[in-house]
Amino acid sequence: MALDSSKTTGFKYVGTRPDRPDGLDKVTGRAKFGADAYAPGMLHAAIKRSPHAHARIVKIDTSKAEAMEGVKAVVTRADFATGIEGEFGNILENVMAGEKALYDGHAVAAVAATSALIARDAVKAIEVEYEILPHVTDVDAAMQAGAPVIREGAADSSVPEGLHPNIVRYYESGHGDVEAGFAEADLVIEDHFLTEATHQGYIEPHACLGTLGTDGKGELWCCTQGHWYVQKVCAALLDVETSQLRVTASEIGGGFGGKTTVFIEPVALALSRKANRPVKLVMTRAEVFKASGPTSSTSMDVRIGMKKDGTITAAQGTFRLQGGAFPGAPCEMTAMCAFAPYDLKHVHQVGYDVMTNRPKQAAYRAPGSPMAAFAVESVIDELCNKLGLDPIDTRLKNASREGTRASFGPKWPRIGLVETLEAAKAHPHYSAPLKPGQGRGISCGFWFNHGGETAVSLALSEDGSAQVAVGTPDIGGSRASMALMAAEVLGIPYEDIRVTIADTATLGYNEISHGSRVTYASGLATIKAAEDAVQKLCARAAAKWGIPEDAVYWEDGYAKPSGPNAGEFEPLHIGDITATMGATGGPICGHFEATPEGAGVSFATHIVDAEVDPETGKTSVVRYTVVQDAGKAVHPTYVEGQFQGGAAQGIGWALNEEYIYGEDGRLQNAGFLDYRIPVASDLPMIDTVIVEVPNPGHPFGVRGVGETSICPPLAAIANAVSAAAGVRMRQLPMRPSRILEALESAVDG
């Protein structure tokens, strides 16, 4: 699975920019998304949700709903499996409340009816008696003595004794002696930072169509980033055999990590089993905001010491994340990512996973990393300002390199952080003059990337074309990337390869499309499956020529004898071999199944120019440049799109987006009117620079690129805004009112 040094350059197909294979279907409306599914006799479902942030469920009376004409089934927690603990127990508790409603929008019952209107009316007819309980939605408040306990006994063994029960996980790592390191510094800055929860903002709401018979056999169509995971979870929550539930992933209208989870699919299946008819369930936009996972909100303290020459002597960080009413906030990821870009002799980081009365958090691209970068890179920027140092030169001086010991333990293999910093410094943007009222910000960012369980199958047709079946839903152009890598190995045109997303009955288990793993892991598996097919093609040619298999090699779509000693034979084209494969041994296919572990980490450097109006607090991002290491850009246009997408989402996160809870613990802005994501007029043209430092763990050097691009924006924008406004911004989002407050405080101070 290691890098093939002979294939780091000279690619024929990899690195080109062909048309996307799903383009025509999407622009003509032929593509089928989650809500496009239909089945004869289909029922429509709706969910009854708690209007309270925290309440004990005393009684649920469904009799009036059940008596309504057109209502075919009603389910509550009693209709799901019992005795489930651990991860699946938490998922079940989130899918359908048990003894308590834990947040505003928590599901307590569901209805299936002959129309969506009847289902909604029936939900209103369900009567729920609640005992209102004290609530807490702020991460710092949830950790204090006397804070309402969300769920007793939820903490794992990592949590030190004596902490509040809402602290459910604890992470700590580092090396050296930070106090000794701070003593060596000429300047030490310690600061406090806050970020609010933000939603992924995908346009397509969660949707599914499910059928489950009394015999335990079922079918499910849903928009998801991981249908094998959906299959596994639904089977557990409904107490059916996993193999009896077939799950098909629809096209996906955005996910960004928010569709790696399970919210509504078990409900649709439970209703179907009770009604004995297919059930369709589509979330409203308000439900998406209230009951599907946003990011964690955070409270962070960062302390960094630096010498006058820019050497970082020590770094320390405490990162508190709330993950809603369930364990799972990425406290360890946040802590590990915080200081990853830097070679530090003395470093220490701590992370807390804290429960609050909010919906269960979900990944948003690189979960936890953007918040950590915001805090750390802001302090580094402030140190550079006070010591009169160039921000890129200072980062280069301290940058992690191959062999550097990471802040959380391992030594880095070949990485490309230095190359991104050098490319950023050489870019015209960095030296361009600024106008009055503008500021420039720099930030680095880091993400781990991931491998995971992966299976791919490749089948050759008689005309020499190929079909590739992968199990990872395409959330960022992976079908094009798989086709390009298969084309590179097979030596046939990109257009002769069709890539499909297989259902759970077709391939072995495939992990979710997350962790920037798809182009790496599914790409590696596609390469290996294609090589498997090539080996079989060469064997057929060898048999035809009557020579040993190892006397045949493959080049540009042809089997060729390896030299004069192998014999004088005309090369055999792939189409010539496949045309007769039925008579020479049968179908020719390639397969590969593994759990690749050489994903290769990724670093990026962003440059941002921002302009602040001191009269109104309005901020405009006027120029943006993304520099990121892709290892090898398989389809550069898609890679650039990932870079730009992360920057665009980061602009929204930094300037506008936030969950706003009232004193009653209810979400105040559950819709795109009041939760404002960026539109085209909010964004500048986003320039991109692709750096290619090959990943030694992939045959073509590929690194995942989908998540790292959202790691630097919060800090880079905050540094630019702080420079433009002349005051350090420590809380996100930097909405106009918050900037005006900071300006007024600076004047008063």
Side-chain angles (χ1 to χ4, degrees), residues 432-454:
L434 291 167
K435 296 179 180 179
Q438 294 181 351
R440 178 164 296 147
I442 302 295
S443 176
C444 295
F446 160 81
W447 187 243
F448 302 92
N449 294 335
H450 182 55
E453 296 167 86
T454 308

Side-chain angles (χ1 to χ4, degrees), residues 37 44 234 322 368 384 416 425 543:
H44 298 265
C234 289
Q322 67 79 23
C384 290
K425 186 173 184 180

Side-chain angles (χ1 to χ4, degrees), residues 256-257 364-366 447 449 475-476 514-519 602 628-630 638-639 641-647 649 703-711:
F256 313 110
Y364 183 3
R365 285 187 139 158
W447 187 243
N449 294 335
I475 60 172
H514 68 162
S516 298
R517 79 176 210 87
V518 176
T519 306
S602 177
Q628 185 173 322
D629 176 19
Y638 273 120
V639 171
Q642 291 289 336
F643 290 5
Q644 292 164 333
Q649 289 177 316
R703 298 178 192 268
V705 300
E707 294 175 279
T708 309
S709 57
I710 205 170
C711 301

